[in-house]
Amino acid sequence: MSYKLIPSLASGQYQLAKAEHAFGAQPTFRVNPIYPASLAGKHLADVTIRVKAIINTDGAVIEVRDLDPASDEQRSMFVEACKNAIMHWSFSPLVVVTETDDGHGNVNQSRSLKAFSLDYTFIFSSAQGGPTVLAGQGDKDAFDSEPN
């Protein structure tokens, strides 16, 4: 695994109403980002990239946004590697189920598909003899790695 979901703050997230519950929004296909080949032999310091994947109601990634806008060409190459990988990801649709009581003891359910977004972080490292993509939520020792 070469990514890790970043827990998002409550602001800006879809908030379920009291009579709602949701399921889905799970990854069904992923490919790993690849350390940019033109930078692999340069033994750069670790580069952390945080991105937001925007997923439509069908579970397809429609956009990947850089959460820390690129400041130089090298960093932009790492962001592009993340975008290239994540645009191939797919998810099960997010289904929101709303239950309503008609007042006579009958509960009706309606289902709707919702678009959603998820934030991820990637760390590109060239330590230990070759390029590696690490992923985690802040504690580097807890990161998973995927050599390129």
Side-chain angles (χ1 to χ4, degrees):
M1 173 172 39
S2 64
Y3 74 93
K4 197 68 151 187
L5 181 66
I6 301 172
S8 298
L9 301 174
S11 63
Q13 290 184 344
Y14 181 79
Q15 297 295 314
L16 293 173
K18 193 173 187 176
E20 292 180 327
H21 65 273
F23 63 91
Q26 298 297 314
T28 57
F29 179 79
R30 295 182 298 258
V31 294
N32 296 324
I34 298 172
Y35 199 104
S38 63
L39 300 176
K42 295 188 177 186
H43 303 291
L44 301 172
D46 290 358
V47 177
T48 300
I49 304 297
R50 295 178 331 117
V51 295
K52 177 181 293 292
I54 313 286
I55 299 101
N56 70 12
T57 57
D58 295 326
V61 177
I62 58 171
E63 184 181 353
V64 179
R65 295 180 186 163
D66 183 2
L67 294 175
D68 304 307
S71 58
D72 62 45
E73 184 179 340
Q74 284 183 347
R75 187 175 180 295
S76 296
M77 294 172 74
F78 290 107
V79 170
E80 204 54 38
C82 292
K83 288 181 178 182
N84 288 339
I86 295 171
M87 287 302 296
H88 291 28
W89 292 11
S90 59
F91 294 79
S92 59
L94 173 62
V95 180
V96 176
V97 179
T98 305
E99 295 182 349
T100 55
D101 186 335
D102 68 1
H104 302 291
N106 298 314
V107 176
N108 297 311
Q109 287 188 345
S110 63
R111 295 177 179 222
S112 60
L113 300 179
K114 301 287 184 183
F116 60 99
S117 65
L118 297 169
D119 296 350
Y120 293 91
T121 187
F122 299 85
I123 294 180
F124 292 82
S125 176
S126 61
Q128 301 174 354
T132 305
V133 180
L134 302 172
Q137 295 177 318
D139 178 3
K140 197 169 184 177
D141 293 334
F143 284 47
D144 296 318
S145 65
E146 185 71 31
N148 287 317

